[in-house]
Each structure stands twice: as C-alpha cells, then as structure tokens.
Amino acid sequence: MAERSFKAEVEDLRLGAGQTFTGEGILALTKALLENGVAYVGGYQGAPISHLMDVLADAQELLGELGVRFEANANEAAAAAMLAASVHYPMRGAVTFKGSVGVNVASDALANLASSGVTGGALVIVGEDYGEGSSIMQERTHAFAMKSQFWLLDPRPNLPSIVQAVSDGFELSEVSNTPVMLMVRIRSCHVTGSFQTRDNQRPTLTVKEALSNPRSDFARVVLPPMSFAHEQDKVKNRWPAAEKFIRERGLNEVFGPKSDFGIVVQGGMYNGLIRALQRLGLADIYGDSAVPIYVLNVTYPLISDEFLEFCAGKDHVLVIEEGQPEFIETQLGSFLYRAESAVRLHGKGLFPLAGEYTGAVMLEAVTGFLKTAAPEMLAAVVRSPNVDRPAIPDLSKTVPIRPPGFCTGCPERPIFSAMKLVEKELGKHQIAADIGCHLFASLPPFEIGGATMGYGLGPAANAAFDGGGARRPIAIIGDGGFWHNGLSSSFTNMAFNKSDGVAIVVDNFYSAATGGQDVMSSRADNATKATKNPISKALAGIGIDWVRQIDHTYDVKKMRDTIREALTTDAPGPKVIVASSECMLNKQRREKPLRAAAIKQGRRVDIPRFGIDEAVCTGDHACIRLSGCPSLSLKKLDDPLRDDPVASIDQSCVGCGNCGEVADAAVLCPSFYRADVVHNPSGFELRLAGFRARVIGALQRRRDAKRLVFGGAA
C-alpha cells in the first residue's frame, strides 16, 4: 500500500497532441516517457523519486496497452541491470532511483553499461535529495557521471523543461551510444505546472518483439580486449558526438543581455537564482533577467567553446554549483586557463563550500558577487530590507534540535522498549543498525544502534564482532532492507560463517520508510506482485535454524523474553528474531476511511484510546523514557501540593497500547487505562452509560459534600 495513490491522476497520462497537462513533476516525467516511446521502465523507490514508482504501478493498465514493460525491481542494482536490454536492441529504456545512494548500489551494473555502451536510448532518472532535510549522506551523483562517463542532465525545475529533458536525454543517448542520467531535485519532483502534451508513442521495438529476434554482439561484452576498445570509443567517438548534439540542439540556455559579467548556474538551481535576482530588482516575475545567465541543463559533459563564448567580453563570472567538491567550477576554471582568459571566476567562497543553497544563501552570495562585478547595478535598484539584514544568531545554542522519530503507534517502538529492558538486565551490547525507520532508535530516548553501512547491511556490519566475546553482537534490519540486499549480503554471510550473533528483522509489512510500497513479505494481496512470502522461510532456506517469529510486537513482555533468550541461549549458529506488526501509518491510511464510512452509515464503531489517571501518576516519567511516543507529553496540574508535571496522553493517540504494555513489562505504575470511544452506540449502551453517569455523579457529589464538611470543621 503506497503512501499515495495516483489512480485518478494517471488518467491524465492519456492526454494527446495539443492538450494541456497540469500536475506534479513526477507525473510529467511519466507522461514524457510515454510520449517518447519508452519500451521498458524499472526502478526502486526512494525519496524524492518514490512517487514515480507509485505512478508507474498505478498506470500499469496504460503501460500494457502501449506494450511497455514495467518492473518494480528488488534494488537499484537490479534496476540498472535492466538497461542491458538497450545494449543490443534499439529499445528505449528508463530506470529510476534515489540519487547518490541508489547510484552507489547500482554502481557495478552502471559501470558495465557505460563501458559497453548502448544501441537504444538508456535513461537513468535519479532523484537528488541534497540538503539538511535529506535522509542520506551528503554526496553528489555528478562524481559517478564523471567516473563512468554518463552524460548528466540537470534541467530547469519547470514542467516544460523536465519533459523536454526526457526527450533530449533519449536522443542524446542514442546519438552518442551512451547512457544518460537525468537528475531531478526534490523541488523538481514536486513542482506543479503545465505543458502541452503530445500523443503517447508505442515503442518502435517492444520487449516481446525483441524476444522474437534475439541479437548479440561480442564487441559490446565488457571483457578484454573489448573493454580497452570501449575506453577509446568513449573519448574518440561517444564524447564528440555528445558535445555536437548538446551544442547543436541548444540543450544549455543563455538568458539576459550582453554585459561584462555573468552567472553560470546548474539548471536545477535556476529558480533559486531568478528569485534572488527578483528580490534585488534585477529580474521580473516572468524570469526576464537584467543579468546574463548561462544555464547548464547538461552539467556533464561541459562544452568548452560554448562556455568560452559566454565569457567573451566579460571580466567576472559567478559559478553557482551546489554541493562539494566543486566539479563544475574546477572544470570551467580549467577551460579559462587553457584559453589564457583573464576572466575572474567566482564561486565557492561567495557560496558556502557545502550545504543546500537556500533562498537566503543564494541572495547573499549573488549580492556579494554583484558588489564586486557590478556595484552600479546594486546602487541603482531599490534595496530590499532583506539584502543587508543583520546576522542571524546561532539558534542552536538556544533552540533544541528536532531529530526524526517514530510515528505515534509505530510497531517498532515496543521492540526497542524491550531491548532497553534487556539491556538493563544483561548490560550494553554492540549493536549495528541499518537503513530504515528503525534507525530512529539510535536517537533518544532509546539510543540503540550504531553505524549504518548501507541498505541491508546491518548484520554484515557486525561481522568483525562475531568472533566470540563476553556478549553477542546484535544487528537491526528492516523488511525492506532484508529483501533489498540483506538476504544475500547479510544473512548468507552469517549462515556461511556460522555466526553466533543476533539479528532482529523489523517487519512492518512494507518498505515503509520509502512510502509504504509492498515487498515480498507484505501480507496484503497485490494484483501484479508476489507477496505473502515469509521472511522466516527465506531464512530457513539458507540454513538458519534458530528463528523466532513474533506477530505482535506490542507485546513488550514477549519481545523482551525472546531477545533475552537469543542473547543467552546455548544454540549454535545465527539467532534471528522476525518482529512483525503492520506499519501504523499504513494501517491508519487503510482503516480511517473505512471507519469514517461506517460511522457515517450509522454502524457501531468503537475506537480505543488510552489515558493516564492523574491522581495515580507519580510524575517520574519512566513511561516516556521507555516509550518516547509523540502522544505522551507532560501536563502541569492545578494542584499547589504537586509541583512536578504528570504524564499525559493527547488526542493524537491511535490506541496501540504500547504505553500500557511498557508500563506493565517494566513494572512502572498502574496509572494507564484504556477507554473505548463508541460511535453510534446501541440503545442498551446508551441506557447503561446514562446509569453509570448517574451513579458516578452521585458518588462524586457525596465525596464533594464530605470534603466541604471536613473542610469547614478544619
């Protein structure tokens, strides 16, 4: 069950020539693929590109009508390997995955693909997720494009430019026999707009037709001596063909008037630059700029003579390149040096060396450049009060950080509550983490989990500690990571080396962290994918015998006892706990609409909620330290005799019961209670509730009366 359904929007993918498409960048990308005769599409979900996979999954009926093959791949390496279809066959293929981490996983397949070259157009759509809000390490796809000689497109973030980049990318790939990367930043993926559509095109050669006429060419096999010939082909034929196409087609763009200064900008950063110029009064609302701009919609390869033409007659040029190292700035500087140009190049220094180029960063850097290159322009414009704003204080000294955390009711939370209880008994253990929601356990209040070495590599990361010791190492891995890479790389490693370590597979039924897509072990029916394949069976298949399946992680006692058993048993070999409960977000997405419909129809619905008896709560807050649920907070009592705040449960509670389970397992306190909110109760329930209210009211009045009497006597 994906985070979002696109079934309604998918109908717009049928629009034909001359019609107007309005929607998100992700949908525009899909429409562009269909308009350009793509024969097959694959990929692996990951922000900000997850929704592209969801759109393709929802559009399978249309894809089938056009003869397009869609594959939801097991991982990015499998996706990249799909592009082998374009090596020998003149078929257009596209795969998609998350920027640098996806490229890292797919690197072996991509390197081989770039070496052999392609006959059909091969497009790798990568979602770049750079900046403080990113969920990954701060790296750039650009380095891989340079290493393996992929051409890298970075189009301006508007729908017409993105759609055109898909068309240009396929043609560039075919002309130069080279795979092409199309980078769409997070803002490009979710930008909304419109463009004029064309008719969808059936592939000139479908996958089924290719199977009827198999082809092969040993010259494209990556083995010596062919691999040596591939390298020569790259520089002697493919590169010149790419440069010629880029220049003749005008893939890079120049805006603004002639001047003695100018700005070079990555296509994806164009909107931020125009906004900064607008705030300086140097661009209008339509984007017309008073400053010359050279837009690099192709950031690799860079075209030397095109850049030097832009620099002709200029004294100062600013390069806007987000991220580090400054690959583009260095290359452009090399062009100027070889041409013996006197142009002064600006870039890093005015801009920070690393970090996202936000609106504030862009405005400050562009202003600094213009103070040097064109001070008269700044003097002539109406100054914005934001341009010479006072320095922003370092808020990190006063405002606490807000790291990510588990959702309310998350079934992973009780797993780590149980681990904390075991840690109290047996001491601290060496724990390796993995990529996924469970990584939040490395943060307070749990502080469980250490290094992460890649998706599905949690248990493999503990291999060095698996030689026997005072305590067994523990590894955490999710079900998404298990099927992505974990089964082959981590668990076969444990089984083959007769590991004595413990691994906990956090099974929440989906690839939850990427948006709730189904995986092999998902327990829902999926019309096009094989689900309901238990993780425990896969583990048994590679020879791991000690496996414990827990189907209700909210049972903290059972979780605690099972983890303790795994850490203390004398059984040889790997010990694996498969801890299964459905992702609460996905569960709520499924159940809330059904519940609302039932209430509207007048059917009886009871919704569990939990609360805390303020009179019983002692205010030690151990429940919060062991649970960390966002719905658990503090409440100050209006009681002069009680200074400390008590625990309180707010209305975001989803009734999972974890707080009460934790309190019970840890023997904290009996202050938790459950109350069922009943919608559309029966007549008997209404009468019973009325009777209870009268009895309770009478007892409360009696108690209050006694208090008044004793109070008066005092």
Side-chain angles (χ1 to χ4, degrees), residues 188-239:
S188 301
C189 291
H190 300 300
V191 69
T192 57
S194 61
F195 66 95
Q196 296 299 301
T197 60
R198 297 182 291 139
D199 290 333
N200 294 331
Q201 299 295 319
R202 188 177 178 84
T204 54
L205 179 68
T206 66
V207 174
K208 288 184 178 180
E209 292 165 347
L211 283 170
S212 302
N213 185 24
R215 302 184 183 188
S216 63
D217 180 1
F218 71 84
R220 292 196 179 276
V221 178
V222 187
L223 280 173
M226 288 79 75
S227 53
F228 297 97
H230 295 164
E231 184 181 29
Q232 295 300 313
D233 188 41
K234 283 181 178 181
V235 296
K236 292 179 179 178
N237 300 309
R238 300 185 204 172
W239 197 316

Side-chain angles (χ1 to χ4, degrees), residues 155-214:
R156 290 191 289 134
N158 61 70
L159 265 55
S161 294
I162 294 169
V163 170
Q164 185 60 44
V166 173
S167 176
D168 292 336
F170 276 129
E171 291 191 51
L172 175 60
S173 177
E174 290 162 343
V175 164
S176 62
N177 301 118
T178 302
V180 170
M181 284 186 176
L182 171 59
M183 186 171 80
V184 281
R185 299 159 189 270
I186 189 166
R187 289 177 177 81
S188 301
C189 291
H190 300 300
V191 69
T192 57
S194 61
F195 66 95
Q196 296 299 301
T197 60
R198 297 182 291 139
D199 290 333
N200 294 331
Q201 299 295 319
R202 188 177 178 84
T204 54
L205 179 68
T206 66
V207 174
K208 288 184 178 180
E209 292 165 347
L211 283 170
S212 302
N213 185 24

Side-chain angles (χ1 to χ4, degrees), residues 323-605:
Q324 56 86 30
E326 60 271 29
F327 300 116
I328 296 173
E329 184 181 341
T330 300
Q331 183 65 65
L332 296 182
S334 175
F335 291 161
L336 293 173
Y337 176 79
R338 292 175 185 176
E340 298 182 352
S341 171
V343 173
R344 183 180 172 191
L345 205 63
H346 306 257
K348 302 297 184 185
L350 286 171
F351 281 97
L353 294 176
E356 184 180 8
Y357 289 175
T358 61
V361 169
M362 186 74 77
L363 178 62
E364 184 173 345
V366 171
T367 302
F369 170 68
L370 293 175
K371 284 179 179 178
T372 299
E376 69 284 353
M377 292 190 78
L378 283 181
V381 300
V382 177
R383 300 307 306 273
S384 164
N386 292 320
V387 174
D388 290 324
R389 65 190 183 281
I392 298 174
D394 183 3
L395 298 179
S396 65
K397 307 298 183 185
T398 54
V399 179
I401 62 171
R402 289 189 62 192
F406 294 111
C407 301
T408 301
C410 175
E412 302 183 16
R413 193 184 304 279
I415 298 172
F416 298 103
S417 296
M419 290 184 71
K420 290 294 283 186
L421 295 174
V422 173
E423 183 181 89
K424 186 177 179 180
E425 293 181 43
L426 303 180
K428 190 174 178 64
H429 286 69
Q430 159 60 31
I431 299 176
D434 204 279
I435 306 299
C437 297
H438 43 86
L439 186 55
F440 298 150
S442 61
L443 303 171
F446 301 112
E447 298 182 68
I448 290 176
T452 57
M453 290 293 106
Y455 201 20
L457 296 177
N462 254 354
F465 298 100
D466 213 0
R471 299 187 180 97
R472 285 177 178 140
I474 305 172
I476 315 292
I477 186 173
D479 49 350
F482 180 89
W483 295 114
H484 176 277
N485 191 26
L487 178 60
S488 59
S489 294
S490 282
F491 288 96
T492 53
N493 190 64
M494 292 181 76
F496 184 67
N497 289 288
K498 297 184 178 180
S499 162
D500 188 42
V502 175
I504 300 174
V505 183
V506 180
D507 172 23
N508 54 30
F509 301 6
Y510 310 95
S511 181
T514 61
Q517 293 81 12
D518 281 334
V519 292
M520 288 277 287
S521 52
S522 295
R523 303 192 181 189
D525 293 321
N526 189 311
T528 63
K529 300 292 177 285
T531 53
K532 303 180 182 179
N533 295 283
I535 291 172
S536 55
K537 285 185 66 175
L539 292 168
I542 60 171
I544 296 180
D545 299 321
W546 200 102
V547 179
R548 300 291 184 267
Q549 175 70 48
I550 296 178
D551 282 324
H552 185 66
T553 61
Y554 297 100
D555 188 341
V556 177
K557 282 184 178 179
K558 186 173 182 180
M559 280 298 316
R560 177 197 62 192
D561 295 345
T562 307
I563 294 170
R564 184 199 297 119
E565 180 190 1
L567 292 170
T568 57
T569 181
D570 293 330
K575 270 67 69 175
V576 183
I577 301 169
V578 183
S580 305
S581 278
E582 184 178 12
C583 165
M584 185 57 73
L585 274 182
N586 275 46
K587 184 176 180 180
Q588 293 296 314
R589 288 189 191 110
R590 187 184 69 254
E591 292 186 349
K592 274 187 175 180
L594 299 175
R595 196 162 57 222
I599 293 172
K600 188 175 182 180
Q601 293 167 8
R603 286 185 281 157
R604 183 187 184 281
V605 175

